[in-house]
Amino acid sequence: MSDHQPTIFDKILSGEIPSYKVYEDDHVFAFLDIGPLSEGHTLVIPKERKAQLHQLSDESAAALGRVLPRLCRAVMNATGATAYNVLQNNGSAAHQVVMHVHFHIIPKFGGQGLGIGWPAGKLSESTARDLLDKMRRALEA
Ligand code: 5GP
């Protein structure tokens, strides 16, 4: 049994709610965002019902990775954009609203598109070493 809470994207996947479909294969579905930040704003989702990226199976992750650059090229070709952001939010604190994994492809046209705050800090040697230690252990687990 899945602990996934149903979202609007389930209804889009099932066709219960219409969408402007850009692309579909066995694992992936892409469609135009209903509230675009710029023309061509596209959402790319796995058919696997998981809320956040770290919960996805390798199979879904690989399928998404395989097709994302192709979809970015399609968005660029269709809109003439030469710059774009790929955004993927996880958790409401990180601005995720729909709790089904999704990648935004957002063309950038001057001021139109994604605005980003980037309050960069400084990485200290001790913090880096501590993080590496913990992350490598997590990867081995
Ligand atoms: P999040 O903030 O979760 O990363 O973004 C969710 C995105 O889904 C938003 O950009 C929003 O406009 C889009 N969205 C929400 N509901 C619908 C819908 O019913 N249809 C489409 N096409 N997009 C939706």
Side-chain angles (χ1 to χ4, degrees):
M1 250 207 0
S2 163
D3 58 0
H4 183 71
Q5 299 299 311
T7 73
I8 193 101
F9 290 176
D10 292 322
K11 294 186 174 169
I12 285 176
L13 281 172
S14 70
E16 195 180 326
I17 287 181
S19 66
Y20 292 104
K21 177 168 89 174
V22 174
Y23 173 86
E24 181 173 14
D25 66 28
D26 287 349
H27 300 286
V28 178
F29 192 87
F31 54 105
L32 297 180
D33 195 298
I34 204 169
L37 290 185
S38 60
E39 188 176 294
H41 184 164
T42 298
L43 296 174
V44 186
I45 69 174
K47 289 185 175 175
E48 186 178 9
R49 292 171 171 183
K50 296 289 180 194
Q52 299 187 1
L53 190 63
H54 62 275
Q55 299 170 325
L56 272 189
S57 66
D58 285 354
E59 194 179 28
S60 279
L64 283 164
R66 193 163 46 236
V67 80
L68 257 176
R70 196 154 20 118
L71 287 166
C72 292
R73 286 194 290 277
V75 170
M76 292 177 81
N77 275 330
T79 63
T82 54
Y84 61 94
N85 294 96
V86 174
L87 175 70
Q88 204 281 309
N89 300 327
N90 296 280
S92 14
H95 305 288
Q96 183 179 14
V97 174
V98 179
M99 296 299 162
H100 181 127
V101 173
H102 53 280
F103 289 79
H104 298 258
I105 303 173
I106 310 168
K108 189 78 184 163
F109 304 107
Q112 249 190 65
L114 182 69
I116 302 180
W118 197 276
K122 268 205 177 257
L123 181 63
S124 75
E125 170 98 20
S126 62
T127 302
R129 299 227 167 272
D130 183 47
L131 284 169
L132 285 187
D133 201 41
K134 289 175 178 156
M135 287 163 79
R136 285 173 181 164
R137 266 190 273 132
L139 283 167
E140 280 161 15

